[in-house]
Amino acid sequence: LRTTTMPRRKRPAEAEAMAEAVVGSNDEEVSDGEDEAEDSGDSSDEADLEMAQADGAEKELQVEFIFTDPAEEDTPYVRSLLAGGSLCTATGADAAGLAATVANQVEVGTMIKADGALFGFLSAVSLQRHRADPSVGRLISLLGSDRVEDGPLRQRLAGLLAPSGGANVGLLLSERMVNTPVQLVPHAVESLHLDLGWAAANAEPAAERASLTFEWLVLLAHVTLDAQAGAESGGAGGSGGAGGSGGGSGGG
């Protein structure tokens, strides 16, 4: 597998050091010459694959994944991933609204693609900036509800998310297809880290830059309990949890 970070509108040239990374069991780099050979031999590869499938033998396929900035045309694909993911399934959040927010926020966010198809994404959106959006407002309400069973944590979240005087909290949003290689995850996280640092220093206008300088990041996790465990804990068989990580995101 090879991952390539495409030229990013939001990245200075020096941040392109992560432009290409190769992941796999052998960690061997694929050269340009090999790429050309692969292109010229596509038809023979397909024929070999058909023969291998007929013989019941395994065939190794090389797939190149690219990391790109979010774009408006990604909206329906992001919506599809969110609609089938754990966040919207567990909370009833509006996948369409969240997808539009993710796809239209070019400053922070990474789309993972292969052969033009979206395989996954990783982003962080400001809960304060988008609190008037019904899809985000529902999640803010959830964080202040008894779905967060830890009372002190719930009170702390309520303070952080207060309409006035609260902190700038970012909600991590991430979904991917089940067959997306897990080796891509560290590269996607590193890409998000670079995005956050770039946005905190360069996003325009200033209000946009301030909204993307997060003090806290929150990740909502869906936890499923079996019936017996739920009865013993006084739950109803399922609950949502919230985890947060503190610290500024100024590229450090």
Side-chain angles (χ1 to χ4, degrees):
L1 301 174
R2 183 173 65 184
T3 65
T4 301
T5 298
M6 300 299 286
R8 311 287 285 276
R9 286 172 284 170
K10 61 196 174 196
R11 294 287 174 76
E14 59 268 22
E16 293 299 334
M18 205 188 76
E20 185 173 280
V22 179
V23 294
S25 58
N26 54 9
D27 290 332
E28 293 180 357
E29 184 127 3
V30 181
S31 69
D32 292 337
E34 290 171 330
D35 286 343
E36 293 171 2
E38 289 169 10
D39 293 339
S40 63
D42 281 347
S43 58
S44 61
D45 285 346
E46 291 176 1
D48 290 344
L49 177 57
E50 290 175 359
M51 292 177 61
Q53 290 174 334
D55 296 338
E58 292 185 358
K59 175 69 176 181
E60 181 178 308
L61 299 177
Q62 293 189 355
V63 180
E64 182 178 31
F65 290 88
I66 61 173
F67 292 173
T68 68
D69 287 331
E72 185 177 358
E73 56 265 29
D74 294 322
T75 303
Y77 309 106
V78 173
R79 181 178 66 239
S80 179
L81 288 174
L82 283 168
S86 60
L87 176 65
C88 291
T89 300
T91 65
D94 175 20
L98 291 176
T101 299
V102 169
N104 287 289
Q105 181 180 268
V106 68
E107 296 85 359
V108 172
T110 291
M111 303 287 112
I112 303 172
K113 299 180 179 180
D115 295 329
L118 182 68
F119 273 71
F121 69 90
L122 179 61
S123 186
V125 301
S126 171
L127 293 177
Q128 291 286 21
R129 177 187 174 193
H130 298 287
R131 67 181 310 117
D133 184 330
S135 61
V136 174
R138 180 179 180 85
L139 296 175
I140 292 175
S141 298
L142 175 71
L143 289 169
S145 73
D146 58 7
R147 292 286 294 275
V148 181
E149 296 181 355
D150 186 318
L153 173 61
R154 185 167 62 249
Q155 292 178 0
R156 187 175 190 183
L157 285 171
L160 292 173
L161 297 173
S164 59
N168 191 16
V169 179
L171 174 66
L172 288 173
L173 292 171
S174 176
E175 296 290 353
R176 65 180 188 270
M177 291 186 184
V178 293
N179 61 339
T180 305
V182 295
Q183 297 98 319
L184 296 176
V185 174
H187 299 290
V189 172
E190 175 64 14
S191 184
L192 178 65
H193 178 74
L194 291 174
D195 286 353
L196 292 172
W198 184 91
N202 300 284
E204 293 293 344
E208 181 91 359
R209 184 164 64 250
S211 73
L212 294 171
T213 304
F214 298 123
E215 301 169 68
W216 293 84
L217 291 173
V218 171
L219 174 66
L220 289 176
H222 181 207
V223 179
T224 302
L225 305 176
D226 61 37
Q228 182 177 357
E232 292 174 353
S233 64
S239 63
S245 59
S249 58

